[in-house]
Amino acid sequence: MRITIQSDVDTITLSDHWLRPDQILGIRKNGIKGLLGTPGYKESFESKPQQDGEYWPSRLTQKARDITIDITAKQHSSVENANLTDRLCDLWGRPLTITIHDAHGPRTLTGALADDPEPTMRWTEQGFDCSLIIHCPDPHKYGDWIPYPASNGLIRVENTGNMASWPIVRTTGVSRLTLSLGDQMVVWNGSTDPLTLDFESMQPSQGVVTLDDAFAIPPGRSSIPVSVDAGQLTMLVRPCWK
């Protein structure tokens, strides 16, 4: 397994397979927690008075995800080691993109460093052990964005994950559009300038949304009716996993 942690200024790559024992930046054995599974419920189940069991909550939603990665590092010199600790500490306060590379293929999360890595020096300060604790407000894992163009009044999309995923719509030369999925519908009006509309926030880059019943793309294949006055429209969808 390989994990990359990317900030706006640096990318740190961690692996559980140490190819060079004289220069290590690796994941310790059994050193990953909170990453491969899925977080628990935010809701609680209330006991049924004088009956067996509990009541179901009105909905089930997930908690945020906390990831712990235990690291061992060893460098050629104490200076290289000191520079590496600076890189890890510089992750603090920056939005981070965490990408897992394993048998599933690449899957990505976003988060921020939640606690002090606290490097413990080893090998006469040429190496250290530490733990990176990363808080991910969005607990889900995502694949790459895939564009699906509209054709003959329809967009055929696919979400290969197991969780609904919010799409993004981009247009050029369009001043009016309507999209629907099942009973849900979105209507937008604006100028023919390029438009970007993220269905999660529903804040268009220009124009105004006149009907906001935004929908996420469910797992599997979906056909989305679309009506535009002119121009081109593309929907971007990324697979989402619990």
Side-chain angles (χ1 to χ4, degrees):
M1 175 185 288
R2 182 164 51 93
I3 298 173
T4 59
I5 302 173
Q6 183 177 0
S7 71
D8 57 334
V9 296
D10 197 4
T11 299
I12 293 173
T13 302
L14 308 170
S15 175
D16 61 358
H17 184 52
W18 303 349
L19 296 177
R20 296 179 57 186
D22 62 322
Q23 189 173 25
I24 299 168
L25 181 53
I27 304 165
R28 296 208 297 270
K29 183 178 180 181
N30 300 323
I32 300 175
K33 300 179 182 68
L35 181 60
L36 303 180
T38 191
Y41 302 119
K42 289 194 295 185
E43 293 78 11
S44 60
F45 293 80
E46 298 297 330
S47 177
K48 291 182 178 181
Q50 300 178 354
Q51 296 183 54
D52 295 333
E54 299 171 322
Y55 291 110
W56 277 88
S58 59
R59 66 183 66 188
L60 292 175
T61 55
Q62 281 192 297
K63 297 178 181 177
R65 184 187 295 266
D66 289 301
I67 301 169
T68 301
I69 307 173
D70 297 328
I71 295 172
T72 290
K74 188 175 189 295
Q75 303 298 296
H76 290 135
S77 69
S78 58
V79 174
E80 290 182 5
N81 192 58
N83 291 336
L84 181 56
T85 60
D86 282 345
R87 289 175 63 195
L88 292 178
C89 291
D90 190 49
L91 296 175
W92 187 91
R94 301 181 185 274
L96 304 177
T97 300
I98 303 96
T99 305
I100 317 154
H101 304 266
D102 61 9
H104 292 109
R107 295 184 179 182
T108 299
L109 306 94
T110 54
L113 199 64
D115 205 351
D116 182 357
E118 291 192 273
T120 301
M121 293 299 155
R122 300 178 59 191
W123 301 298
T124 61
E125 296 190 5
Q126 292 184 11
F128 61 85
D129 292 334
C130 76
S131 295
L132 294 180
I133 301 174
I134 300 171
H135 181 72
C136 301
D138 181 350
H140 303 137
K141 305 169 190 172
Y142 297 93
D144 294 331
W145 289 101
I146 301 173
Y148 296 94
S151 177
N152 298 321
L154 207 61
I155 311 173
R156 292 182 172 86
V157 301
E158 184 176 12
N159 175 2
T160 57
N162 59 17
M163 189 81 180
S165 179
W166 295 106
I168 294 176
V169 167
R170 289 180 178 162
T171 70
T172 54
V174 175
S175 63
R176 295 189 304 274
L177 71 84
T178 301
L179 302 117
S180 60
L181 181 62
D183 296 330
Q184 295 175 267
M185 180 178 293
V186 170
V187 179
W188 169 89
N189 292 286
S191 72
T192 56
D193 293 338
L195 164 72
T196 299
L197 176 58
D198 187 333
F199 273 42
E200 183 173 13
S201 65
M202 288 305 291
Q203 296 180 352
S205 60
Q206 57 100 353
V208 60
V209 175
T210 58
L211 177 58
D212 179 0
D213 191 6
F215 51 84
I217 305 301
R221 296 179 179 178
S222 300
S223 295
I224 300 169
V226 55
S227 174
V228 296
D229 57 343
Q232 297 179 334
L233 181 148
T234 299
M235 176 173 282
L236 290 87
V237 177
R238 56 180 177 171
C240 177
W241 292 273
K242 299 176 184 177

